[in-house]
Amino acid sequence: FLWVGFHDAHRPYAKGAVSPPHDPSTVSVPPYLADTPETRADIALYYDEIARMDGDIGKMVAELDRRGIRENTLVIFLSDNGSPFPREKGTLYDGGIRTPLVFSWPGVVPASSVNSGALVSAVDLAPTLVEIAGGTVPEGMQGRSIRDLLTDPGDHAGREQIFSERNWHNTDEHIRSVRTKRFKLIRTDAYNALPMGVASDLGASPSFLALRALAKSGRLAHSQSQVFIAPRPRLELYDLEKDPWELDNVADDPAYASDVRALAAVLQQWMADTDDFPAWVRTRPDDTDRITG
């Protein structure tokens, strides 16, 4: 077993990661970022780092081929958080929790197969590996094996819900969420009177500075304002079919009242089942400024 961690694509970024570099004019800017030359250049450098990492992975796979063990090796690629940009890394929006999960196993995983609709969680990896290795999954393990996803990706239904949490990253937060295929419910139990804590590496990024400049001049669009909202709502509900970027909180919309109640109950039960701790148990001083990053 070998675990390899990459520094790419952690900040800070510098030019020269790959040649030729990505063209800032061709990058995709999500609506919650400011579409400025600085942001586009920032995203292009991020693409460069991803490309360099991809090349390094290629070298490792080539070494497996050279040793003649490629077909007897399962290669898994995953990320532990979303992209290092405002409203992504360190949040429970999909930009923060929807991460890549790639399996490569010649002769077992069908080449180029994709399942983009099923919900799986990182906690599912451990029981999957135990099953593949021929072991017995411990009864107390939260995850569930997704072994069948590898051999028949198109028919894997996935979970009905997935759960996520934000605790510490330069600031204490107590944020929990439950996501179904249609809805995302986010519950914030601490620091409601302050903006969400921005990770320190993001606070110095050109993308965050561009948002701050718009905020200072009063030109922030609604879609760009969420990282500055204070006080924050206790509950956020997003209808992902209608609002895939999670920009319009409908938790107070009477049309969604039954959905809020149902998902809030599911989230509360998950917190009880996993022996979650209340927000007041752990409140440490921030080590970054929540306004300036």
Side-chain angles (χ1 to χ4, degrees):
F1 177 80
L2 176 67
W3 179 284
V4 180
F6 293 92
H7 187 266
D8 294 318
H10 287 86
R11 294 178 178 277
Y13 300 149
K15 295 180 179 180
V18 291
S19 182
H22 288 82
D23 182 352
S25 69
T26 65
V27 305
S28 176
V29 182
Y32 43 78
L33 296 182
D35 193 345
T36 66
E38 293 78 14
T39 297
R40 285 184 166 273
D42 199 22
I43 296 174
L45 289 176
Y46 170 62
Y47 287 3
D48 289 351
E49 296 230 354
I50 295 295
R52 176 170 58 190
M53 178 181 63
D54 192 44
D56 289 339
I57 294 171
K59 294 174 185 177
M60 296 176 193
V61 172
E63 178 64 17
L64 295 175
D65 285 327
R66 190 187 71 80
R67 297 188 186 197
I69 57 175
R70 177 73 180 93
E71 293 191 355
N72 193 38
T73 304
L74 168 61
V75 177
I76 304 173
F77 174 79
L78 71 154
S79 173
D80 59 347
N81 51 249
S83 303
F85 286 85
R87 206 181 171 274
E88 295 186 341
K89 178 181 177 180
T91 78
L92 302 190
Y93 302 114
D94 273 6
I97 65 170
R98 186 174 185 174
T99 55
L101 182 59
V102 182
F103 299 90
S104 178
W105 193 0
V108 179
V109 178
S112 302
S113 54
V114 176
N115 185 321
S116 59
L119 298 175
V120 299
S121 177
V123 295
D124 296 331
L125 280 177
T128 302
L129 295 176
V130 169
E131 181 180 338
I132 288 172
T136 301
V137 178
E139 193 172 310
M141 194 170 273
Q142 289 182 37
R144 62 186 70 170
S145 174
I146 54 173
R147 174 69 174 81
D148 63 318
L149 172 64
L150 306 190
T151 51
D152 195 4
D155 286 343
H156 185 78
R159 292 169 170 262
E160 289 186 21
Q161 308 106 3
I162 55 171
F163 302 91
S164 56
E165 59 187 280
R166 155 87 187 255
N167 293 299
W168 172 264
H169 200 305
N170 297 118
T171 63
D172 254 326
E173 297 280 2
H174 195 284
I175 311 176
R176 307 290 184 259
S177 80
V178 54
R179 190 199 196 280
T180 67
K181 287 186 177 181
R182 180 177 176 185
F183 292 112
K184 164 83 67 62
L185 182 81
I186 300 176
R187 170 174 156 178
T188 300
D189 282 349
Y191 290 117
N192 284 346
L194 297 171
M196 185 187 302
V198 176
S200 59
D201 56 331
L202 306 187
S205 70
S207 297
F208 185 68
L209 295 177
L211 287 173
R212 282 198 65 211
L214 288 178
K216 282 185 175 182
S217 63
R219 293 182 292 124
L220 269 183
H222 165 72
S223 60
Q224 301 162 340
S225 64
Q226 283 169 308
V227 292
F228 302 107
I229 289 176
R232 287 177 277 158
R234 172 76 182 279
L235 291 178
E236 299 169 68
L237 180 72
Y238 298 99
D239 186 335
L240 303 174
E241 289 182 358
K242 299 178 180 179
D243 179 26
W245 290 109
E246 299 166 287
L247 301 176
D248 297 311
N249 179 12
V250 294
D252 291 334
D253 187 333
Y256 291 93
S258 61
D259 300 303
V260 171
R261 284 194 294 269
L263 289 170
V266 168
L267 184 58
Q268 181 64 43
Q269 186 61 54
W270 172 77
M271 293 170 69
D273 291 343
T274 58
D275 197 24
D276 199 0
F277 63 93
W280 54 263
V281 166
R282 205 168 64 190
T283 53
R284 294 162 292 189
D286 298 346
D287 67 13
T288 59
D289 187 279
R290 288 174 180 258
I291 306 301
T292 66

